Amino acid sequence: SRSLHGSELCSVSSRVATIPRGVKWSELTASRPRNRSRRIRVGFLSRYFRDHTIGNLNLGRIQRLSRDDFEVTVVSAGTFHDAVAEGFRQAADRFVTVSSNVGEARQQIAGLGLDLLVFTDVGMDPLTSTVQPIRSQITTAVARKSGPPQWSVR
């Protein structure tokens, strides 16, 4: 593995700084109060909802969530056609593929009306890592990948 030093790090940092942030999450969700009499709208976001470790670790979680308590939206950052991807489509109440454009993806996710957004692969994919700042006005969670399911809610 190679580490970054000096000008290489500056170059990477300056490129990251140019990633578009899109509209502010609070501007998209300010008029949407949570209706406590309905199911909790939870979304799961990943590029890897397919035959991949992330897909295999999360499919069962989504299948087993109580539909009496949760309305489940799977948000895929890509289009895939394998048995695991099909499992996600069948397990979700709603299956959405978001744009590869960060600003558009942020708006699409904001428009879903979610109460909770779970980032299942933080740091593994440029798009899903970049849309993560939308969490300022939504409850987000990061699923732990080892041991029993646990959630780190921010």
Side-chain angles (χ1 to χ4, degrees):
S1 97
R2 185 177 149 228
S3 62
L4 296 175
H5 299 284
S7 63
E8 290 175 322
L9 184 57
C10 289
S11 174
V12 170
S13 296
S14 65
R15 288 194 325 231
V16 168
T18 65
I19 295 172
R21 297 293 184 205
V23 297
K24 292 182 180 175
W25 182 256
S26 58
E27 293 171 7
L28 296 171
T29 61
S31 63
R32 196 188 76 229
R34 160 110 164 82
N35 178 344
R36 302 215 181 266
S37 65
R38 65 165 168 71
R39 296 182 298 167
I40 296 169
R41 293 178 181 162
V42 60
F44 290 83
L45 171 66
S46 180
R47 169 154 328 264
Y48 303 104
F49 289 147
R50 57 184 169 85
D51 189 12
H52 181 276
T53 303
I54 296 298
N56 293 320
L57 287 171
N58 286 282
L59 180 56
R61 288 180 176 164
I62 290 170
Q63 290 171 328
R64 289 188 295 272
L65 275 177
S66 166
R67 292 315 194 268
D68 292 336
D69 299 319
F70 296 99
E71 178 183 320
V72 177
T73 300
V74 169
V75 184
S76 179
T79 303
F80 305 100
H81 304 285
D82 60 37
V84 177
E86 185 57 32
F88 278 102
R89 284 184 194 83
Q90 291 177 5
D93 296 309
R94 225 177 3 171
F95 187 94
V96 177
T97 302
V98 294
S99 171
S100 60
N101 175 284
V102 174
E104 290 174 12
R106 287 167 54 99
Q107 288 185 332
Q108 287 175 294
I109 294 167
L112 296 174
L114 301 173
D115 300 311
L116 173 69
L117 181 58
V118 179
F119 292 85
T120 62
D121 56 47
V122 173
M124 292 180 62
D125 175 71
L127 177 69
T128 60
S129 296
T130 305
V131 298
Q132 192 173 2
I134 65 175
R135 70 180 179 218
S136 62
Q137 295 295 317
I138 191 172
T139 302
T140 63
V142 178
R144 278 189 56 193
K145 302 300 183 287
S146 60
Q150 295 180 358
W151 304 98
S152 170
V153 178
R154 298 179 190 169

